[in-house]
Amino acid sequence: INMAVFPGLQGGPHLHQIAGIATQLREVQTPEFHEYIQQVKANCRRIGEVLTDAGYVMCTGGSDNHLQLWDLRPTGITGSKMELVCDQASITLNKNAVFGDRSALSPGGVRIGTPALTTRGFKEDDFKLVADLINECTILAQDIQKLSGPKLVDFKKTLETTKELKERQTSIRSRVNRLAESFEFYSEID
């Protein structure tokens, strides 16, 4: 009877989870958190606006929260390829399926979150710079795919073996690193 009930159907209170939830509930009641979350949303709107102005398609026409879901299908590249190029340029975003995708293994979009950079002090103007760097990554990914064809394995190989493409990727990464270094990594907690 005991094996039938626990752990499949019953579990005890996990005090570390309860403490984490209680701590978060206390934090979200502070004026500082309200100011922070408003900045997170403003930053998210800004990066979506800049990318949309550059001709890209944000799912649902934009965002009212902390992340943008970007439909990359009109660009001709997959979320997997965009994630790879951005990752190698020290930009973190995640491949993500978008409405109409046939397979989550080859997703048609990426999601871009704003809380981490907002925590470091980025404001709307800084997110314009981030969007510009992501735009350069998109153009780089399209150029790689022109040479490699549609397969991800060939895409990776082309990026690694084509000097001009590798130099462009390195240039983007150095500008990303300079921008990141101009902000605190963390601040002291009172």
Side-chain angles (χ1 to χ4, degrees), residues 7-188:
L9 299 174
Q10 175 186 357
H14 298 279
L15 297 180
H16 66 288
Q17 290 177 318
I18 294 169
I21 292 168
T23 300
Q24 186 64 44
L25 288 172
R26 181 175 179 205
E27 181 181 345
V28 301
Q29 294 177 14
T30 65
E32 294 84 9
F33 181 83
H34 287 267
E35 182 180 321
Y36 163 76
I37 204 62
Q38 292 304 318
Q39 188 64 56
V40 165
K41 294 192 292 186
N43 290 342
C44 191
R45 278 190 300 275
R46 182 67 177 142
I47 197 167
E49 291 166 356
V50 174
L51 291 170
T52 299
D53 290 347
Y56 299 115
V57 177
M58 299 299 115
C59 293
T60 70
S63 177
D64 292 327
N65 58 35
H66 66 288
L67 67 85
Q68 287 286 345
L69 183 57
W70 179 6
D71 185 352
L72 287 167
R73 293 174 300 183
T75 69
I77 59 173
T78 64
S80 301
K81 292 173 184 170
M82 186 65 178
E83 181 184 63
L84 173 73
V85 169
C86 285
D87 187 53
Q88 290 189 4
S90 298
I91 297 173
T92 301
L93 46 71
N94 303 98
K95 61 186 175 187
N96 205 91
V98 294
F99 182 76
D101 276 350
R102 296 174 191 223
S103 169
L105 298 176
S106 183
V110 292
R111 59 183 180 183
I112 305 168
T114 57
L117 294 181
T118 304
T119 299
R120 290 188 63 182
F122 281 57
K123 303 288 188 211
E124 293 94 331
D125 289 342
D126 305 311
F127 270 89
K128 187 209 180 298
L129 299 173
V130 172
D132 291 342
L133 290 163
I134 291 173
N135 180 43
E136 287 188 52
C137 287
T138 307
I139 295 166
L140 175 59
Q142 290 171 323
D143 291 344
I144 295 167
Q145 185 165 281
K146 286 176 190 171
L147 296 174
S148 72
K151 291 186 178 178
L152 183 59
V153 66
D154 296 333
F155 184 89
K156 289 178 184 178
K157 186 176 179 182
T158 300
L159 175 58
E160 291 302 319
T161 60
T162 308
K163 184 179 178 188
E164 185 264 331
L165 296 173
K166 192 69 175 165
E167 287 172 355
R168 284 172 54 196
Q169 182 262 334
T170 301
S171 171
I172 296 168
R173 182 177 55 238
S174 70
R175 285 181 282 135
V176 167
N177 290 339
R178 275 196 307 274
L179 176 62
E181 288 168 356
S182 67
F183 288 86
E184 298 265 344
F185 187 67
Y186 67 91
S187 60
E188 293 295 322

